[in-house]
């Protein structure tokens, strides 16, 4: 089976490979695995705490060419997006952009799961401030 040109491009020149420091407060991390093939993907986002916009992204994928290309593409796509926009990304958009064949659709699902997990991780780590702001203060 031949990979599409875009898959080969991302595979040979992956964008945004690497990782951010885990203790960085502005980072959300998503780590997911595909049970079918055992491939693993880690995707991280760096978020502007004031605007809620994703400013940077990194990935590390131990998997097939399509999984690497899907995660590389997602790190490019999410930059400049809000958390909700990034979480709304669909695997079908990835599969279409990369012209993935049916047997490789699960590789794009892995990338969708990874970005959702990264967004959720960031939101969970930052859930406290909004909640505490809602706590009424005693006014004298
Ligand atoms: Fe499983 Fe690509 S073959 S992620």
């Amino acid at each position: 089976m031949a990979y599409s040109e875009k898959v080969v491009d991302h595979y040979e020149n992956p964008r945004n490979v690497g990782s951010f420091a885990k203790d960085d407060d502005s980072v959300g991390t998503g780590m997911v695995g595909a049970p079918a093939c055992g491939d693993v993907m880690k995707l991280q986002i760096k978020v502007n705490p004031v605007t809620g916009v994703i400013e940077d992204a990194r990935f590390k994928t131990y998997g097939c060419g399509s999984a690497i290309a899907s995660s590389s593409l997602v790190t490019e796509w999410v930059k400049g997006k809000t958390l909700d926009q990034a979480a709304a990304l669909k695997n079908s958009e990835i599969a279409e952009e990369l012209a993935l064949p049916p047997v490789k659709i699960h590789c794009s699902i892995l990338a969708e799961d990874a970005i959702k997990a990264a967004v959720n991780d960031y939101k969970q780590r930052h859930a406290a401030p909004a909640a505490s702001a809602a706590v009424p203060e005693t006014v004298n």
Side-chain angles (χ1 to χ4, degrees), residues 34 37 39 64 66-67 104 106-107 110:
C37 60
D39 290 356
C64 74
S66 298
K104 290 290 177 182
H106 79 271
C107 319
L110 203 55

Side-chain angles (χ1 to χ4, degrees), residues 31-139:
M31 181 95 147
V32 293
C37 60
D39 290 356
V40 177
M41 188 179 286
K42 184 174 95 172
L43 204 148
Q44 290 180 302
I45 49 173
K46 205 176 182 51
V47 183
N48 182 318
V50 178
T51 60
V53 168
I54 297 168
E55 295 187 326
D56 209 353
R58 292 279 185 278
F59 82 93
K60 272 191 180 172
T61 293
Y62 303 92
C64 74
S66 298
I68 290 170
S70 297
S71 37
S72 171
L73 179 66
V74 165
T75 55
E76 282 200 317
W77 274 358
V78 297
K79 280 190 211 178
K81 285 192 161 57
T82 64
L83 291 168
D84 289 341
Q85 286 170 338
L89 228 157
K90 294 261 182 313
N91 87 283
S92 53
E93 301 170 69
I94 302 165
E96 190 181 332
E97 173 70 14
L98 297 173
L100 298 181
V103 294
K104 290 290 177 182
I105 296 301
H106 79 271
C107 319
S108 63
I109 293 174
L110 203 55
E112 179 187 324
D113 289 348
I115 184 61
K116 285 193 161 69
V119 168
N120 282 340
D121 179 55
Y122 181 86
K123 282 187 173 173
Q124 271 172 15
R125 294 173 58 181
H126 293 80
S132 63
V135 174
E137 284 181 29
T138 316
V139 181

